[in-house]
Amino acid sequence: MTRIAIYFAIAILLLTNQDIYAQTEHQQQHAVQIASSDNSAVLTGASALFANPAAARHETQGWDLTTAVSNRFNSDILSLGAAAVKGFNQSVVGISLGSYGIDGFKQSQVSLSFSRSIGASAYLGIQANYYQLQIDELGQKGVADMTIGYWQIIDSKVIISAYLKNPLQAVSDQPQVIGKADIGLGYIISEQLTLYASVDKPWDRGLSFRPGFAYKPHPILTLYISTDTDPEAISLGAGINLNNGLHTELGVNTHPILGNSLALSVGYTIQ
């Protein structure tokens, strides 16, 4: 997709009175998010701020930082993101920043989050999101909303994740950003294999079912394979977690019409 085609699509959306925010649902994308087909059960620490902020509390005692860059559909559309969380007592605070788009069409996001333990390996989280869209010669506009979530791991085996993204937009007469309701489950079979699946309902379309698994052939290496039903797609990825706290991840998602998306994330954990 060329710049001309993208600008033409933007113009059509403006002329038909559709909000462009609704076309950029996932402007921030972490590599694990892409590799797992957006399964929040496997996104913890700083990467949880890209999905369910409640999971930021899981196993976070000190600092966790991550950065992400993704290329959308083999085009020149780039998504940049960064997140940091800090654990203290039974809580975690976090901040994330993101930018999405091309020259002349940019969407930026800043989010502040807070998550807290409410029981044995159970957490609640809330994240305030602010989005700003800027189009050359058309000005800019902003909108604020939130993400609220719950995340729990039971007996170190069963993971439960549930969150609402931008719930205020679901009841708005003129929604400006897309949100969704998401429920995910994970099951840790062994130290090497974790199964996960999630169902979500975006505010603008039907249900999506996304099963997958994470496999660790080596203590520092994790492989991801997952699928999505809407649209039908396959996602692959790999993560390397070194003993010194440095970790990096790569994710690839295939879209049946638009093509592939590629994401790379690099992070550092200080416990």
Side-chain angles (χ1 to χ4, degrees):
M1 185 180 293
T2 65
R3 276 193 174 89
I4 294 176
I6 294 172
Y7 283 125
F8 180 76
I10 292 172
I12 292 297
L13 290 172
L14 288 171
L15 291 173
T16 56
N17 198 33
Q18 297 185 35
D19 198 288
I20 298 175
Y21 282 104
Q23 310 304 315
T24 56
E25 175 184 356
H26 298 298
Q27 69 276 13
Q28 283 186 270
Q29 290 191 310
H30 195 271
V32 175
Q33 189 179 18
I34 287 184
S36 65
S37 295
D38 200 14
N39 269 278
S40 59
V42 297
L43 288 159
T44 61
S47 66
L49 303 193
F50 291 77
N52 183 354
R57 174 66 186 88
H58 181 60
E59 295 184 344
T60 300
Q61 303 299 328
W63 286 91
D64 190 29
L65 306 96
T66 188
T67 59
V69 57
S70 64
N71 173 260
R72 304 295 297 276
F73 314 129
N74 292 324
S75 69
D76 53 0
I77 304 176
L78 288 179
S79 171
L80 303 175
V85 296
K86 174 64 171 70
F88 62 96
N89 297 330
Q90 298 299 313
S91 304
V92 162
V93 294
I95 182 172
S96 63
L97 305 170
S99 177
Y100 167 88
I102 57 177
D103 292 340
F105 171 52
K106 295 285 187 179
Q107 184 178 9
S108 301
Q109 176 183 344
V110 58
S111 300
L112 299 175
S113 70
F114 176 81
S115 61
R116 181 171 177 81
S117 299
I118 59 171
S121 300
Y123 320 105
L124 286 177
I126 185 169
Q127 181 168 297
N129 306 313
Y130 178 76
Y131 308 88
Q132 184 178 72
L133 177 66
Q134 182 174 358
I135 304 176
D136 285 357
E137 300 181 1
L138 293 177
Q140 62 186 26
K141 62 185 300 185
V143 61
D145 211 312
M146 69 184 76
T147 304
I148 53 177
Y150 172 83
W151 198 95
Q152 182 179 11
I153 181 167
I154 303 172
D155 295 332
S156 300
K157 290 290 185 181
V158 179
I159 302 171
I160 301 172
S161 175
Y163 70 97
L164 292 174
K165 178 181 180 182
N166 300 326
L168 300 180
Q169 301 299 307
V171 296
S172 173
D173 294 333
Q174 296 181 328
Q176 296 178 311
V177 290
I178 287 181
K180 66 178 181 178
D182 186 288
I183 297 177
L185 292 173
Y187 184 72
I188 301 174
I189 295 178
S190 67
E191 293 183 357
Q192 287 75 41
L193 182 62
T194 299
L195 304 180
Y196 51 81
S198 61
V199 177
D200 72 15
K201 173 60 178 73
W203 307 146
D204 67 331
R205 59 181 187 271
L207 293 173
S208 172
F209 176 60
R210 304 183 307 280
F213 66 88
Y215 174 63
K216 297 184 69 171
H218 189 276
I220 69 168
L221 176 65
T222 303
L223 304 177
Y224 301 90
I225 300 178
S226 58
T227 63
D228 193 342
T229 62
D230 184 20
E232 294 182 0
I234 297 175
S235 294
L236 306 171
I240 296 176
N241 195 341
L242 302 178
N243 292 331
N244 62 2
L246 182 66
H247 52 91
T248 182
E249 301 85 21
L250 180 69
V252 179
N253 172 263
T254 64
H255 190 286
I257 298 175
L258 298 178
N260 300 333
S261 294
L262 177 67
L264 174 67
S265 300
V266 177
Y268 189 70
T269 301
I270 307 173
Q271 298 288 19

